Amino acid sequence: MNQSPALADHRVAVVGGGHAGGTLVGLLRQSGHRGEIMLFGDETDYPYQRPPLSKKLADGEIEQLLRPPEFYREQNITVRLGERITSIDRRGRRVYSADGTGWDYDVLVLATGARPRPLPVPGADLGGVVTLRTLTDARVLRKHFGEKRRIAIIGGGYIGLEVAAVARANGVDVTIIEREQRVLARVASTRLSDILARYHRDRSTTIVTGAQVTHVSGRSGHVCGVVLDDGAEIACDAALIGVGAAPRDELAAAAGLVCDHGIVVDGLARTSDPAVLAIGDVTRRPVAGVDGLLRLESIPSATEQAKQACAAILGTAPPSAEVPWFWSDQFDLKLKIAGVVSGARDIVLRGDPSAGRFALFHHENAVVTAVESANSPADFMAGRKLIASRRRIDPRRLADLGIPLLDTVIA
């Protein structure tokens, strides 16, 4: 489908300078969009990669831009850094910043992302208590690593485990505090949680589960401990709060767009207003093979939605739906997960966790629905293909490493 001249000349305003927004503006120009493109970011850094913030926190390059600043100038893309959009006039098709300055748009794309959930306990505002979402956060947290101190990580999600791995590899004492009975309780299978918890404990990370934080203690305005509901106190010199992220959908909700724990969009990134699209972590969207709407926090999801929005703006054929996937680096484990993990599925283990190379294939009635893999890229790729094709496998043959993956398919 070829784009029409009218669509090619649309004035596009993108609110949010994260991975989703930064990817979209580049795609638009590279796909032939001729109209004005404006990117508004409330941070002062050009769009950058977020995975290095946790994965490269101590000893790698955390400041990895999506594109060099000159790219935006060469492509005639207006980038307004440190500019927070505070309201939307949908009828007049204008967005406004806090000082009342307005900009017109033909198409508005909201890519406002998510913010770290706060820890609602006394002492959470002490010095040395940090979150990890932005480059500024990472720069602050990195200083604690350089001093070889003790860190308490409140929340056993992927970000918490990644930071823990980097910290331990650099000689920092780490305690992970998780209120659920296992790490990764919301996002991983019990089996993968157990494997990773053992892996971290074997490397001297302390993990405390089933623990509720009651308050953060301090000395001279700086954190010195995290107190639990059983009275125990975890001594620390810094504390990372990693209890999840909340979608930044306030702007959309105030403008009257349909929101439900995120901006509700369809499979083409369209909101309840035909002139407004939304992409990235702020959205709740349909996912192939899954009932209802999901809010996916991942780079592949943001990139997929940027492609959807680009097609919608240009009037070209939409991209094919992708199997959602995610990756995580922890010590020497390269984790890749595809599909949506659910606790109600049968699991086949292929490989050996003690050897650091394995894959957990989730299936329902012999149809693979998700795969959690470590240092096993071939299993991950095969799992993604099986999820997409919905072909049936023989679980017993799948567990046998002596049988090629292709030979486990039976229908």
Side-chain angles (χ1 to χ4, degrees), residues 17-235:
H19 196 101
T23 298
L24 173 59
V25 297
L27 284 175
L28 281 171
R29 275 290 184 256
Q30 292 168 345
S31 300
H33 185 68
R34 300 191 300 267
E36 182 179 358
I37 301 175
M38 300 172 287
L39 177 67
F40 300 90
D42 56 10
E43 294 183 56
T44 56
D45 294 293
Y46 279 88
Y48 56 84
Q49 298 276 2
R50 293 195 188 274
L53 302 188
S54 56
K55 297 174 173 66
K56 304 290 185 180
L57 184 58
D59 55 0
E61 179 53 62
I62 59 174
E63 299 182 15
Q64 298 184 21
L65 299 181
L66 291 183
R67 295 181 176 88
E70 54 267 25
F71 169 85
Y72 303 95
R73 294 191 292 270
E74 293 169 356
Q75 296 298 319
N76 195 25
I77 297 170
T78 300
V79 180
R80 301 189 67 90
L81 300 176
E83 191 81 67
R84 183 168 176 263
I85 299 300
T86 57
S87 64
I88 302 168
D89 174 7
R90 289 169 51 201
R91 185 181 296 274
R93 294 198 179 183
R94 285 175 67 81
V95 293
Y96 293 91
S97 63
D99 65 2
T101 305
W103 294 269
D104 296 325
Y105 68 82
D106 296 309
V107 177
L108 173 63
V109 183
L110 299 177
T112 46
R115 63 168 57 87
R117 292 188 185 278
L119 183 68
V121 301
D125 57 350
L126 285 167
V129 179
V130 297
T131 56
L132 183 57
R133 185 75 189 184
T134 67
L135 258 175
T136 299
D137 295 336
R139 292 169 183 140
V140 171
L141 188 55
R142 174 175 268 191
K143 293 179 181 178
H144 295 287
F145 283 16
E147 296 164 355
K148 296 287 193 276
R149 292 186 166 189
R150 301 165 298 177
I151 184 170
I153 299 176
I154 305 171
Y158 276 113
I159 294 298
L161 292 182
E162 288 177 2
V163 172
V166 173
R168 283 302 307 134
N170 285 270
V172 179
D173 290 335
V174 179
T175 299
I176 297 173
I177 303 165
E178 171 57 53
R179 70 176 182 179
E180 303 295 338
Q181 296 302 315
R182 61 183 178 94
V183 298
L184 302 176
R186 295 184 300 106
V187 293
S189 67
T190 300
R191 200 156 186 183
L192 182 62
S193 292
D194 292 343
I195 292 170
L196 292 181
R198 186 179 308 113
Y199 210 81
H200 279 259
R201 286 183 171 122
D202 287 346
R203 286 151 185 79
S204 301
T205 300
T206 300
I207 301 177
V208 182
T209 58
Q212 189 75 35
V213 174
T214 60
H215 65 279
V216 179
S217 59
R219 185 181 301 113
S220 301
H222 193 91
V223 61
C224 65
V226 177
V227 182
L228 309 182
D229 53 358
D230 63 359
E233 181 169 359
I234 308 299

Side-chain angles (χ1 to χ4, degrees), residues 291-333:
D291 294 333
L293 303 175
L294 295 179
R295 193 170 73 82
L296 301 176
E297 296 181 27
S298 73
I299 298 303
S301 176
T303 301
E304 180 186 16
Q305 286 192 296
K307 294 175 183 177
Q308 293 171 352
C310 183
I313 292 168
L314 298 181
T316 55
S320 300
E322 299 179 7
V323 173
W325 67 281
F326 170 81
W327 82 94
S328 176
D329 294 341
Q330 297 176 36
F331 298 107
D332 57 349
L333 294 180

Side-chain angles (χ1 to χ4, degrees), residues 373-392:
S373 69
N375 297 335
S376 189
D379 286 338
F380 167 75
M381 292 302 298
R384 284 190 72 190
K385 292 178 181 179
L386 288 170
I387 294 166
S389 70
R390 297 193 62 78
R391 298 184 67 183
R392 296 181 67 242

Side-chain angles (χ1 to χ4, degrees), residues 242-276:
V243 293
R248 297 178 60 186
D249 59 0
E250 302 86 3
L251 183 64
L257 297 172
V258 175
C259 297
D260 178 15
H261 302 289
I263 305 172
V264 175
V265 297
D266 65 10
L268 295 177
R270 298 175 297 197
T271 73
S272 52
D273 182 334
V276 183

